[in-house]
Amino acid sequence: MMLEVEHEGEMAILRFAGRLDGTTVRQAEERFLPLAEQGTGRFVFDLTGLEYISSAGLRFMLLAAKKTKTLNGRVALHGLTDNVREVFEISGFLSIFPVFSSREEALAYAAER
Amino acid sequence: MEGSGIGSTIDVAPDLREWTAIRQWLESFCLASGIGRDIRLKLELAAEEWFINVVTHGFAGKADAGRDSQDAAEPLVRLGIGRKRDEVILELVDNGPAYNPLERKDPDITLPVEQRPIGGLGIYLIKNLMDSCRYERLDGCNRLTLRKRIANKSRQPSEGGNEPDDAGSGT
């Protein structure tokens, strides 16, 4: 898996590519948790390049949702591929995460006060 | 796996580092059997959820199980896959303690984020992504048989001629 972090103001944009599974999820946690601990509560997850997610990846997503909630922040997703969207849908995650079709909408939502 | 339509098997150690080998094995079977990306990703997901469960719970991380103790059987973690016409069969076998994952209670997917427990989605995903799942305890082994139908547009008997290039290759 590839994970790039970009900062825009007080927002962090995490760009995922490849596979978020039981063997790669720790990388995601290692990037995300320090940001949350420093108080970053506003995130955009760009999943355009994410081909595959398993329950280990969902576990990370839920952790991120819970963390940002306690920080009074927000996490917005965009760019879900068909396979990832299906896994989110089955798991009921489409009602947990605001999912947008464009990066701009996701950024605007995450920045909203 | 006799007579069950299984075309290829792989034995691995109960160690998460084996996941890459499993994934590569699945990918080559799918390529050779004309199984497309969408179905392949679902099969990979089912295999991963099962494998992680077996390694972390069934064998509780004991990659060396059986080496120290003379009584303990050598751990067996075996995956088999086959294609029968428009169906893929994935057979997942381990000799860990008897456990039927299909009896696990489904998670409540309607809970709000604060109340959603972390975890517990793996088996639920398998059940939802496969067309049928069957569990048996057989000869001291857990055996999970998963079936997934392949939409094969090229096989409609009423449609003569013009088949796409990848039509039911090599069966």
Side-chain angles (χ1 to χ4, degrees):
Chain A
M1 189 196 57
M2 293 259 296
L3 177 54
E4 285 170 11
V5 183
E6 191 188 312
H7 294 273
E8 199 164 305
E10 45 182 326
M11 206 170 1
I13 301 157
L14 272 62
R15 249 198 313 273
F16 294 80
R19 310 171 60 92
L20 190 55
D21 62 23
T23 62
T24 58
V25 70
R26 183 172 275 181
Q27 289 174 51
E29 287 170 2
E30 282 170 359
R31 300 296 290 276
F32 171 81
L33 288 172
L35 292 170
E37 255 127 56
Q38 288 157 26
T40 305
R42 291 172 184 274
F43 289 90
V44 169
F45 291 175
D46 175 352
L47 307 185
T48 315
L50 193 69
E51 175 189 45
Y52 173 99
I53 190 166
S54 67
S55 71
L58 292 178
R59 189 189 288 260
F60 164 77
M61 291 288 165
L62 188 60
L63 173 86
K66 285 177 184 280
K67 278 268 177 207
T68 47
K69 195 109 194 172
T70 60
L71 292 163
N72 285 319
R74 300 178 145 201
V75 51
L77 308 187
H78 81 97
L80 277 68
T81 56
D82 289 350
N83 180 57
V84 169
R85 179 177 287 275
E86 191 176 0
V87 171
F88 266 72
E89 189 173 6
I90 292 169
S91 312
F93 275 34
L94 291 181
S95 56
I96 291 181
F97 290 94
V99 176
F100 298 94
S101 47
S102 77
R103 177 188 158 97
E104 289 67 35
E105 287 170 285
L107 285 170
Y109 175 87
E112 224 171 83
R113 291 284 158 185
Chain B
M1 311 203 174
E2 320 75 34
S4 55
I6 296 300
S8 173
T9 63
I10 184 174
D11 282 22
V12 296
D15 183 327
L16 291 183
R17 281 170 296 189
E18 297 274 42
W19 170 240
T20 312
I22 297 173
R23 190 158 67 76
Q24 284 164 354
W25 166 79
L26 263 175
E27 190 168 349
S28 24
F29 179 85
C30 289
L31 277 174
S33 313
I35 296 166
R37 184 171 167 276
D38 177 56
I39 300 283
R40 170 171 63 79
L41 289 171
K42 291 181 166 71
L43 294 168
E44 285 181 15
L45 191 107
E48 183 194 331
E49 302 299 350
W50 166 81
F51 182 63
I52 289 186
N53 266 354
V54 165
V55 173
T56 54
H57 301 299
F59 294 99
K62 288 178 221 146
D64 293 334
R67 228 173 259 174
D68 305 329
S69 152
Q70 304 233 311
D71 317 325
E74 197 70 24
L76 173 80
V77 182
R78 176 173 294 162
L79 298 92
I81 193 167
R83 178 172 179 177
K84 260 185 182 173
R85 289 188 286 282
D86 294 346
E87 188 176 63
V88 195
I89 303 153
L90 187 60
E91 211 167 70
L92 308 166
V93 179
D94 71 273
N95 66 350
Y99 176 63
N100 180 356
L102 304 177
E103 283 175 356
R104 204 194 148 100
K105 199 168 165 282
D106 286 345
D108 182 352
I109 60 159
T110 63
L111 289 175
V113 59
E114 301 88 342
Q115 292 163 33
R116 281 293 292 260
I118 301 262
L121 286 167
I123 301 302
Y124 186 69
L125 284 171
I126 295 183
K127 287 195 212 165
N128 278 278
L129 289 170
M130 296 292 119
D131 289 306
S132 86
C133 308
R134 193 180 70 199
Y135 170 84
E136 297 160 288
R137 180 75 183 177
L138 214 66
D139 304 326
C141 288
N142 298 305
R143 177 183 298 213
L144 199 55
T145 308
L146 310 177
R147 290 166 191 273
K148 182 70 189 169
R149 274 191 302 276
I150 305 168
N152 197 337
K153 293 165 217 118
S154 62
R155 288 276 176 98
Q156 299 298 330
S158 53
E159 288 174 26
N162 66 345
E163 296 203 347
D165 293 336
D166 61 347
S169 54
T171 40

